[in-house]
Amino acid sequence: MRILIVGAGEVGSSIAANLAPTHDVVVVERDPTVVEELTFSLDVLAVEGDGTNLDVLEDAGIDQADMVIAATDSDETNIVISGTAKTVTDTFTIARVKRERLLSTWQQSNSAFGVDFMVCSDLVTAEAIFRISELPHAHDVDTFSDGLVRMVELEIEPESSIVGQSVQEADQYESMTFAAIFRDGELIVAKGETTIEAGDRIVVIGSPNSVRTFAVDIATEGEREIDDIVIIGGSKTGHQTARVFEEHGYQPRLIEQDHDRARFLAEELSNTTVMESDATDMEFLNRENVGDADVVVVCLESDEKNLLVSLLARKLGARRTVAIVETADYSDLFETVGVDIAVDPRMEIAEEIVRFTIGGHTEKVVMLQQDRAEVLEVEIGADSDVAGKRLVDVVKNLPAGVVIGAIPREGGLVTPRGDTVFEVEDRVVIFVDAQVRNEVVDRF
């Protein structure tokens, strides 16, 4: 597939890096320094120029593009790029926007603006923050097949009840599959005899009820429920995060230093207590009992401030800290020095976009461990090689590093077993080593 990406900031560069190994990628960027860096760092064709200029798009080969991804930092620019692309070709267009209202307008107007798919980075990030915050020790949480299936990556604490158990001993939950374990950078496909160790990151896939019950059971008593949520930073992401928590019945507190911004947020968020203060003011933080919070989410304007304030909240006693990280190389650093969860908006956006670049009937893609592995939702068509075959026979022909996690079928959920037969229109949720993803998709 030939893919044209306009804008090589953190988001565009991340998408390009993800797609370059398996697709013909062209990147359009105005900054000549960035163009030069891309030319040497990625296997892409980098073109210097303004993506709103039709001549530049034609020089980049838009007439040959199967997809155009507008990923600049400007919502308006991304919409213009999509509309411009549609004037000369029928290529599939994707626009990244920051404002949720633009997404809402697009959804209500039947793909307006010449945009075939629109992703709101702040909303996608906020929803990821909520999903992760709601489950104890979760590092990644996502849903598939309209909520019938949930995937969670959980860190196993030393005091967890399943430390030392085999997967077979720990697997006491209906409608749930142990898919894999990440241990010291290594991917281990979960087998019955695999022993669970402290520090493992376990990936399980199953019904929302079973996955939640498992996550709660292996947590200590004081970690099982969240109530007090503090959001530090009234940025667009902070605003969206508060709104998402409100939609799920929570009443978060939000700290914002700027007077006008704080007043705006107080008017917009009816069930959020907005406090105007500097998040590094220890006296204020102590007075407002931020250290007693179940979850502190930090959404300030720089990685450095997010790291500093997260560590400060942790020092005060906050049970769990979640921080936004905009620089790819910082994600591991944040978690190494004491931040519980680092959420990378670029990765969240990439997940939304990458599924359109995968062949077959792929409905959704979730990337784990910086795309070390993925969880896919694939619909089985009438021409699928696996239709009508038993799982035990299909697995024999799959590469290593693959686990069938769940099979949504006719509004219900089938837990995969050896004699399970794949049926046409099944939507199969599969854990895969990222290196074999395309081979697996081809089989289904």
Side-chain angles (χ1 to χ4, degrees):
M1 182 180 289
R2 185 176 178 87
I3 301 170
L4 177 58
I5 301 172
V6 183
E10 291 285 349
V11 173
S13 295
S14 176
I15 296 170
N18 184 276
L19 299 179
T22 52
H23 297 281
D24 184 9
V25 177
V26 181
V27 180
V28 175
E29 168 58 41
R30 300 176 66 174
D31 187 335
T33 303
V34 175
V35 170
E36 185 176 0
E37 290 174 353
L38 285 174
T39 301
F40 288 101
S41 63
L42 297 177
D43 183 18
V44 301
L45 172 62
V47 176
E48 181 183 343
D50 182 351
T52 62
N53 186 323
L54 184 55
D55 290 339
V56 172
L57 294 179
E58 290 177 339
D59 288 343
I62 192 170
D63 58 320
Q64 303 171 29
D66 299 295
M67 180 182 297
V68 173
I69 301 172
T72 75
D73 287 332
S74 166
D75 292 354
E76 290 78 9
T77 299
N78 292 336
I79 290 172
V80 169
I81 290 166
S82 299
T84 303
K86 284 295 188 183
T87 64
V88 294
T89 178
D90 60 355
T91 185
F92 190 86
T93 58
I94 299 176
R96 168 222 181 185
V97 298
K98 297 179 182 178
R99 284 175 289 179
E100 191 269 339
R101 286 195 177 103
L102 275 175
L103 174 65
S104 179
T105 299
W106 175 78
Q107 291 172 330
Q108 295 172 28
S109 58
N110 192 24
S111 301
F113 315 127
V115 177
D116 293 309
F117 180 72
M118 183 176 285
V119 55
C120 176
S121 52
D122 294 318
L123 179 58
V124 167
T125 303
E127 290 172 340
I129 289 170
F130 172 77
R131 293 192 302 267
I132 292 169
S133 300
E134 197 184 25
L135 287 180
H137 301 299
H139 280 256
D140 204 339
V141 181
D142 223 310
T143 58
F144 299 82
S145 197
D146 300 321
L148 281 173
V149 178
R150 177 177 282 191
M151 179 283 305
V152 62
E153 177 189 346
L154 292 161
E155 183 166 356
I156 305 302
E157 297 294 313
E159 60 272 17
S160 172
S161 59
I162 63 172
V163 170
Q165 290 186 2
S166 67
V167 166
Q168 184 176 9
E169 292 170 331
D171 188 5
Q172 303 298 317
Y173 301 84
E174 292 186 14
S175 304
M176 194 182 85
T177 301
F178 282 73
I181 295 173
F182 294 106
R183 178 182 298 160
D184 298 327
E186 180 184 1
L187 168 60
I188 303 170
V189 173
K191 300 184 182 300
E193 66 274 15
T194 305
T195 301
I196 299 168
E197 299 179 4
D200 283 351
R201 298 262 188 102
I202 288 189
V203 179
V204 295
I205 300 169
S207 71
N209 183 61
S210 292
V211 168
R212 180 172 182 80
T213 300
F214 170 68
V216 170
D217 283 352
I218 66 173
T220 59
E221 185 173 351
E223 299 171 322
R224 291 175 179 172
E225 299 294 335
I226 66 168
D227 179 52
D228 187 6
I229 299 103
V230 175
I231 300 166
I232 298 178
S235 62
K236 290 184 176 66
T237 302
H239 179 193
Q240 290 291 351
T241 300
R243 193 173 64 80
V244 171
F245 271 102
E246 283 188 346
E247 289 173 352
H248 288 84
Y250 293 93
Q251 297 179 323
R253 294 182 285 160
L254 190 153
I255 301 170
E256 168 56 41
Q257 186 172 9
D258 182 80
H259 173 75
D260 292 338
R261 183 65 178 172
R263 182 172 181 174
F264 167 79
L265 292 169
E267 293 171 352
E268 288 282 310
L269 299 165
S270 58
N271 289 314
T272 297
T273 301
V274 178
M275 299 173 285
E276 183 183 332
S277 179
D278 180 355
T280 61
D281 183 342
M282 287 288 289
E283 182 180 347
F284 168 81
L285 296 176
N286 281 314
R287 184 170 67 248
E288 296 298 331
N289 299 313
V290 171
D292 295 335
D294 298 314
V295 179
V296 174
V297 181
V298 188
C299 306
L300 295 169
E301 65 270 24
S302 72
D303 287 344
E304 291 76 11
K305 288 184 178 180
N306 286 339
L307 177 59
L308 172 64
V309 174
S310 297
L311 295 178
L312 181 58
R314 188 76 176 182
K315 181 176 178 63
L316 290 172
R319 201 171 79 195
R320 202 164 187 224
T321 54
V322 181
I324 298 296
V325 55
E326 298 285 355
T327 305
D329 294 340
Y330 285 3
S331 293
D332 291 340
L333 170 65
F334 272 41
E335 295 184 7
T336 298
V337 299
V339 179
D340 291 300
I341 307 293
V343 176
D344 183 348
R346 299 165 311 103
M347 188 61 71
E348 302 301 329
I349 299 166
E351 288 179 0
E352 291 288 308
I353 292 175
V354 166
R355 66 186 172 97
F356 291 104
T357 69
I358 302 175
H361 305 276
T362 306
E363 300 290 328
K364 186 168 183 176
V365 179
V366 171
M367 303 173 189
L368 302 174
Q369 295 280 319
Q370 300 294 317
D371 206 18
R372 174 69 178 81
E374 298 175 355
V375 181
L376 314 173
E377 180 181 347
V378 180
E379 183 175 356
I380 295 182
D383 58 347
S384 171
D385 290 342
V386 307
K389 296 181 180 178
R390 296 186 307 159
L391 184 148
V392 65
D393 298 322
V394 170
V395 169
K396 291 177 182 177
N397 296 315
L398 292 177
V402 180
V403 177
I404 308 300
I407 305 176
R409 178 182 294 164
E410 297 179 348
L413 189 62
V414 175
T415 302
R417 296 290 183 262
D419 58 355
T420 301
V421 176
F422 292 104
E423 298 180 3
V424 175
E425 296 186 357
D426 280 350
R427 299 174 76 175
V428 186
V429 181
I430 312 169
F431 175 93
V432 299
D433 185 321
Q435 295 181 343
V436 300
R437 176 239 282 162
N438 290 341
E439 182 179 351
V440 172
V441 170
D442 290 343
R443 296 285 178 86
F444 280 83

